[in-house]
């Protein structure tokens, strides 16, 4: 059964208004230049669709940040399963709630820059193309080398980070990506070659993490 | 100048806008990730395309005789 996502009332009302206004032009196109016709046309074909698409995009962006959204593609199942393995960096973050569990993938794989969120969405569209057209690399590689910026966004300045041996001396190297955090803190996921292909083809099932309905991390 | 062609454009555009908005609305329901992406992208493309078509028709419509 379909479950309405809370907060969708604006989208529903805007859509109904948009449909009624557009239906008027569908059956009476001649009114486009009569009286208030141009104004109504602007509302029907610019304002309301703009509102509907803005609300829809906002909903889309919110939903696509969720861990379950990322793991809905079979090829991501091996990586999702590593969230349950506390031997991996991803698993440690998930187990200790260093990342919000409902946005575990997004929290580490977005870019903490001015347009990082937008960049992540564009890469998400790229993921979709690869998913439907095939050509997934195994093991999966990020488009660009993983930047320490994403780690330091949370860890820099934390007592546990500052007190760790070597961190203070190498901070500038970390900031400049001269030394990758992953050189010491590996494996990030520990997915072995071949697992992605098996998951994509449905040959192998992986145990995926259970997500709580509300995350109180951080 | 005949008003038939602009009227046809407005009709087609309005129809696409209605279809696009309803499809986009479907993404507001908890339908699962893949249908969600199809609904939001498909609905968005139809809505934008239909709106542009309808507006083009409106601009090409002759002014009403008074």
């Amino acid at each position: 059964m379909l479950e309405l996502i809370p907060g969708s009332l604006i989208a529903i009302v805007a859509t109904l208004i948009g449909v009624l206004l557009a239906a008027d032009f569908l059956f009476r196109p001649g009114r486009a230049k009569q009286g208030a016709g141009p104004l109504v046309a602007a509302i029907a074909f610019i304002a309301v669709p703009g509102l509907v698409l803005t609300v829809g995009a906002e909903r889309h962006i919110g939903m696509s940040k969720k861990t379950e959204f990322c793991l809905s593609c079979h090829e991501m199942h091996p990586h999702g399963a590593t969230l349950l393995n506390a031997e991996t960096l991803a698993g440690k973050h998930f187990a200790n709630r260093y990342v919000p569990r409902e946005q575990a993938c997004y929290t580490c794989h977005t870019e903490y820059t001015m347009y990082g969120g937008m960049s992540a969405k564009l890469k998400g569209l790229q993921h979709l193309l690869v998913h439907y057209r095939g050509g997934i690399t195994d093991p999966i590689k990020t488009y660009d080398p993983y930047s320490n910026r994403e780690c330091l966004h949370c860890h820099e300045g934390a007592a546990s980070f500052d007190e760790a041996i070597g961190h203070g001396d190498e901070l500038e190297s970390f900031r400049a990506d001269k030394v990758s955090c992953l050189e010491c803190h590996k494996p990030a996921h520990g997915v072995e070659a071949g697992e992605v292909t098996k998951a994509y083809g449905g040959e192998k099932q992986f145990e995926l993490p259970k997500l709580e309905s509300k995350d109180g991390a951080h | 100048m005949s008003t038939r062609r602009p009227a046809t454009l407005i009709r087609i555009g309005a129809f696409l806008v209605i279809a696009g908005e309803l499809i986009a609305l479907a993404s507001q329901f908890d339908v699962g990730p893949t249908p969600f992406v199809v609904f939001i992208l498909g609905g968005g493309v139809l809505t934008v395309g239909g709106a542009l078509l309808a507006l083009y028709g409106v601009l090409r419509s002759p002014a009403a005789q008074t």
Side-chain angles (χ1 to χ4, degrees):
Chain A
M1 185 176 170
L2 295 180
E3 183 188 343
L4 191 61
I5 298 169
S8 299
L9 194 62
I10 296 173
I12 294 172
V13 172
T15 301
L16 290 177
I17 293 171
V19 166
L20 288 174
L21 291 175
D24 192 25
F25 282 97
L26 179 65
F27 296 111
R28 295 191 300 160
R31 62 163 296 189
K33 284 280 175 82
Q34 295 173 353
L39 178 65
V40 178
I43 295 171
F45 299 125
I46 298 175
V48 174
L51 180 64
V52 169
L53 293 180
T54 302
V55 173
E58 188 273 336
R59 186 68 57 194
H60 167 68
I61 289 169
M63 185 170 175
S64 62
K65 288 177 181 176
K66 291 186 174 178
T67 305
E68 62 181 353
F69 184 87
C70 302
L71 301 185
S72 64
C73 290
H74 284 163
E75 60 267 35
M76 294 313 300
H77 285 188
H79 288 79
T82 65
L83 295 175
L84 297 175
N85 180 3
E87 298 295 314
T88 67
L89 188 63
K92 280 176 190 157
H93 280 73
F94 191 80
N96 293 303
R97 289 179 171 268
Y98 295 153
V99 292
R101 287 181 176 170
E102 288 187 344
Q103 296 184 2
C105 310
Y106 179 82
T107 303
C108 289
H109 287 281
T110 188
E111 295 169 12
Y112 292 98
T113 57
M114 183 178 285
Y115 300 109
M118 189 181 292
S119 172
K121 291 302 107 194
L122 291 175
K123 282 178 180 169
L125 285 177
Q126 205 170 338
H127 296 345
L128 272 180
L129 280 177
V130 173
H131 172 76
Y132 288 113
R133 289 174 58 189
I136 299 162
T137 59
D138 188 0
I140 289 175
K141 292 179 180 174
T142 53
Y143 297 115
D144 304 306
Y146 195 84
S147 174
N148 292 341
R149 174 189 59 223
E150 276 58 270
C151 307
L152 294 173
H153 177 77
C154 292
H155 291 287
E156 186 176 355
S160 57
F161 176 86
D162 290 340
E163 291 165 5
I165 297 170
H167 279 177
D169 301 334
E170 295 287 344
L171 187 56
E172 285 308 316
S173 300
F174 296 148
R175 284 177 178 160
D177 276 323
K178 288 178 182 171
V179 179
S180 171
C181 301
L182 296 172
E183 284 184 23
C184 293
H185 300 280
K186 58 187 176 184
H189 285 281
V191 173
E192 293 178 5
E195 288 190 347
V196 172
T197 305
K198 285 179 183 173
Y200 184 63
E203 292 176 36
K204 188 175 177 184
Q205 300 291 317
F206 292 87
E207 187 186 349
L208 296 178
K210 288 179 182 173
L211 300 168
E212 290 137 40
S213 60
K214 193 163 186 177
D215 198 295
H218 286 302
Chain B
M1 181 184 161
S2 170
T3 59
R4 191 172 177 182
R5 191 169 164 77
T8 305
L9 290 175
I10 294 172
R11 279 205 174 99
I12 295 172
F15 177 78
L16 291 177
V17 167
I18 292 170
E21 287 181 345
L22 290 176
I23 290 172
L25 181 67
S27 71
Q28 297 292 312
F29 293 85
D30 187 13
V31 289
T34 299
F36 176 79
V37 170
V38 172
F39 288 161
I40 198 76
L41 289 182
V45 169
L46 283 178
T47 305
V48 171
L52 290 175
L53 202 62
L55 287 171
Y56 180 62
V58 171
L59 291 175
R60 287 198 57 188
S61 295
Q65 299 292 321
T66 54

